Amino acid sequence: MQDVLIHTADGVTTLTINRVDKKNSLTTAMYAAMADTLQQAQDDDAVRVVVIQGDVTVFSSGNDIGDFLSGPPATPDAPVSRFLRAIATFPKPLLAAVCGPAVGVGTTMLFHCDLVYAGDNAAFSMPFVNLGLCAEAASSLLVPQMMGYHRAAEALLLGEPFMAEAALEVGLVNRIVPPLEANAFTQAQARKLAAKPLSSLVETKRLMKKGQMAQVLAQMDEEGQSFGRMLREPAAKEAFTAFLEKRKPDFSRV
Ligand code: COA
């Protein structure tokens, strides 16, 4: 079974994260598949809308921690960087259906989606600091902007999870639905968009985003440089090893 399923129907390309036994954590190969799909969807006139969805029990537990240890991304062309740039610059409507945990990039990617629908079991978290890392995907810019600084500090410095209701309140989520209905509801919204004139959708999205696109990409680059360095430092190595060994990390010496 593929770790990312790709399906196109009625002008909607759906990308299903499908690695449930590993809580939908994202490997290098999965980032590459998702980045390639977004690039093709951007170029293909038959694709009008893209949906990213996971399983009813888990959206994504973020980057595969084993991959972080064994092959941390080293260049701006790394698949994860290509994926992040692709979602930030995707010109057509991009939707997400989120149920269960959405950890790390599982949450930060949502700041680049146009519409987000969540199951009432959705739990969002950005525990980068707890892993010896820093914010990524322009979240250091977009999270304070959306939530206000102090709530952003709780989410990004303390790494505290927040549930669907809180995500709705700050505007990260458009609507909360029963988990079993989240994917179908999101598909219905995607089909509504796919029936509209594509040029109007693309131009309106461009106009909404253009004011800070350059800033978003610059922030993403700066975060990427720090993140890439920190992945190789002792705090992150201890955090990743502790996760894989199923123990609490010991940061007393880092
Ligand atoms: N990378 C690699 N493997 C992961 C993973 C990740 N990000 N998240 C979960 N897994 C694996 C676990 O190692 C476990 O594998 P095993 O069955 O071989 O032991 C399996 O998925 C199930 O995970 P588990 O932790 O037992 O599930 P849970 O329901 O108790 O908890 C989460 C779910 C998502 C809360 C928890 O797995 C978690 O916190 N994951 C790490 C999140 C993270 O820090 N991501 C990086 C963000 S930058």
Side-chain angles (χ1 to χ4, degrees):
M1 188 62 100
Q2 298 275 330
D3 289 341
V4 179
L5 306 176
I6 295 148
H7 174 75
T8 300
D10 304 327
V12 178
T13 290
T14 302
L15 244 142
T16 305
I17 309 170
N18 182 45
R19 194 177 178 234
V20 180
D21 60 326
K22 294 290 179 189
K23 299 289 167 182
N24 278 351
S25 50
L26 299 171
T27 61
T28 305
M30 291 164 77
Y31 285 122
M34 294 199 292
D36 291 346
T37 304
L38 286 167
Q39 186 61 57
Q40 284 154 16
Q42 177 169 335
D43 297 340
D44 184 349
D45 291 342
V47 178
R48 304 163 82 87
V49 179
V50 168
V51 173
I52 302 178
Q53 64 184 23
D55 183 68
V56 69
T57 60
V58 60
F59 179 65
S60 172
S61 65
N63 205 103
D64 182 282
I65 301 233
D67 269 14
F68 264 162
L69 258 183
S70 61
T75 65
D77 288 338
V80 60
S81 311
R82 287 203 293 121
F83 170 70
L84 294 179
R85 270 199 306 276
I87 51 170
T89 58
F90 192 65
K92 300 173 184 177
L94 183 60
L95 280 64
V98 184
C99 293
V103 188
V105 71
T107 288
T108 57
M109 73 167 86
L110 305 174
F111 286 83
H112 300 280
C113 292
D114 301 298
L115 297 170
V116 179
Y117 298 105
D120 57 20
N121 62 345
F124 305 85
S125 59
M126 296 175 280
F128 303 111
V129 166
N130 303 342
L131 293 167
L133 299 169
C134 66
E136 43 93 272
S139 57
S140 55
L141 172 71
L142 299 174
V143 178
Q145 210 168 65
M146 183 179 283
M147 299 186 173
Y149 183 82
H150 291 93
R151 280 196 279 201
E154 258 178 359
L156 282 170
L157 298 182
L158 279 172
E160 285 195 349
F162 51 99
M163 303 303 289
E165 283 292 345
L168 182 70
E169 192 203 324
V170 296
L172 177 60
V173 157
N174 289 85
R175 186 187 292 218
I176 300 174
V177 292
L180 286 171
E181 292 169 24
N183 287 358
F185 183 82
T186 307
Q187 286 293 327
Q189 297 296 84
R191 279 172 171 66
K192 275 192 214 165
L193 285 167
K196 297 183 190 293
L198 180 59
S199 55
S200 296
L201 291 169
V202 167
E203 184 59 5
T204 302
K205 177 166 175 173
R206 187 188 73 77
L207 289 164
M208 286 199 288
K209 295 264 182 180
K210 75 165 193 159
Q212 67 167 12
M213 183 56 81
Q215 199 187 355
V216 165
L217 295 175
Q219 193 87 2
M220 219 180 239
D221 279 352
E222 188 173 342
E223 290 169 345
Q225 283 171 25
S226 301
F227 198 98
R229 171 176 49 77
M230 296 173 102
L231 275 173
R232 292 165 172 77
E233 289 178 352
K237 287 193 171 160
E238 165 57 12
F240 303 152
T241 309
F243 177 77
L244 294 175
E245 292 174 355
K246 301 190 189 293
R247 61 170 173 82
K248 278 196 186 317
D250 174 5
F251 295 125
S252 60
R253 277 184 299 237
V254 297

